[in-house]
Amino acid sequence: FSQRMGLADQALTDVSDRAAALGELTGQAVDVDRLTGAFNAFSVSGEDAAGEMDYLFGVSQQTGMGFNDLVSVVQSSGPAMQELGFSLDDVADMAGLNSSSVLGSMKKALSSVAESGGDVQKTFSDSVSAIEGYVSAGDDAAAISAASDIFGTRNATQFVAALKSGAISMDDLGQ
């Protein structure tokens, strides 16, 4: 944590102690490289690192996803998800759904939206709002059709299902 995040003094002690405690709780050493990679990708400060570790552990417990697996998904999805306006906590919440499908679809969405130019976050938010409107109106076919334009045909159904179940909500995710 000292070299990868530049932590020192009390912040270093707090984060190191938290990582050791998590390792004891999970029975598996915390993958410090991936964890610091995720924190660095989302610009988590030393003061916030211990709290973020607690949050990630909570998501891990709620979803049954291993802590290191969750951190790995958050780290690998970080750059694309930040472009879409999502925070580390948002990505962790979504990772528990179906990390390969939902987050993979979000990465595809970023590529699709970026190709069209303009404000990536606004374009993505507007597209998802339109999809949510179809879902609210009970028009699943239109929602899946609109979702397939940015998420791809295979991932559209997964994304619409996550919206319908409330697992993904743009209001909850700060969009």
Side-chain angles (χ1 to χ4, degrees), residues 70-163:
L70 175 63
V71 168
S72 180
V73 170
V74 169
Q75 179 194 20
S76 66
S77 301
M81 299 306 285
Q82 279 186 299
E83 280 292 318
L84 296 173
F86 294 101
S87 70
L88 183 144
D89 292 355
D90 296 336
V91 175
D93 290 340
M94 288 185 279
L97 300 172
N98 181 336
S99 59
S100 61
S101 292
V102 173
L103 292 175
S105 70
M106 298 295 236
K107 286 181 185 179
K108 170 138 179 43
L110 175 62
S111 297
S112 297
V113 171
E115 287 174 8
S116 67
D119 184 334
V120 173
Q121 289 182 9
K122 181 176 180 353
T123 302
F124 179 75
S125 180
D126 291 348
S127 297
V128 172
S129 293
I131 295 165
E132 285 181 315
Y134 291 128
V135 168
S136 295
D139 192 347
D140 290 353
I144 291 169
S145 177
S148 68
D149 290 341
I150 57 172
F151 296 106
T153 305
R154 187 175 54 193
N155 294 319
T157 304
Q158 176 76 23
F159 185 79
V160 170
L163 279 175

